[in-house]
Amino acid sequence: MARYVTVTAAITMDPARLRRYLRSPLAPASAWPEPEWTGLCAPWRDPAVRRRYRAELPAALAECDRWTEGDHASYLHGLDEDGGLTLRHDEAAGALTIDFDTRVDFELPGMIWALTALRGLAAAMAADDTGLVELTPDWTAGTALLHLTPNGSAFLDPARDAPTLAHARDTAFDTRCTTSKTDEDEPAGDVLDRLLATP
């Protein structure tokens, strides 16, 4: 039976830096050390799932590295070709929302793959740029929360990181309100092409 993950992201980012991100090469999953991925093994309610993912993490990262190619724009175009991508961008506000569902043939490697390109946003961020990415699988209860900041990305624990998460969710809500005013009928591929057409 096919399994899927749903990913939602709300990003506040200078448009010039966003374009730099889209044109930059997709980094392999191992660009982030293994300890920085352990947060992806934690938010699931089933303790057996948590233990299994922690044991599988080194192999899952190596597997994802074999899938890495192209740039970030190509990654997003690929999601669009699969029919699962929604992209909204407000140029004036520097507000971006990314939403997609993607099939996962291998649980942990698939989740890592779905997040690797979005972690790359942090390398292009500066000043007050920020983002919140939420990944929800359909085979187990829980949601992974990835907070993006300039040159940094970290999985948030709702209990331990409550103030940070509350602020990130407030910002994400405001970002979605901003992008909701953009043309909802514009296909994701057209949004990408419009962004990339600007030097």
Side-chain angles (χ1 to χ4, degrees), residues 64-156:
C64 281
D65 281 356
R66 288 192 284 271
W67 303 344
T68 304
E69 61 181 1
D71 57 23
H72 293 95
S74 298
Y75 172 92
L76 292 171
H77 269 299
L79 290 172
D80 185 43
E81 289 169 5
D82 290 341
L85 179 67
T86 300
L87 205 62
R88 300 278 175 262
H89 183 249
D90 185 290
E91 182 83 13
L96 172 73
T97 55
I98 302 170
D99 300 283
F100 64 87
D101 296 309
T102 188
R103 176 174 169 159
V104 170
D105 294 318
F106 305 98
E107 291 178 14
L108 186 58
M111 291 192 293
I112 292 171
W113 176 84
L115 291 175
T116 294
L118 299 181
R119 290 194 93 162
L121 281 157
M125 286 180 167
D128 295 326
D129 295 344
T130 187
L132 181 65
V133 182
E134 302 186 44
L135 178 147
T136 306
D138 71 355
W139 62 86
T140 189
T143 296
L145 304 163
L146 181 66
H147 188 218
L148 304 174
T149 55
N151 294 307
S153 59
F155 290 96
L156 298 180

Side-chain angles (χ1 to χ4, degrees), residues 15-26 70-74 193-199:
R17 292 192 284 271
L18 174 59
R19 293 182 180 95
R20 191 179 312 137
Y21 155 79
L22 289 171
R23 295 179 178 121
S24 65
L26 185 64
D71 57 23
H72 293 95
S74 298
D193 291 342
R194 173 165 52 81
L195 282 164
L196 292 167
T198 303

Side-chain angles (χ1 to χ4, degrees), residues 41 49 51-62 107-109 112:
C41 305
V49 169
R51 288 192 299 270
R52 177 163 56 87
Y53 286 169
R54 188 64 190 88
E56 292 175 354
L57 185 57
L61 290 170
E107 291 178 14
L108 186 58
I112 292 171

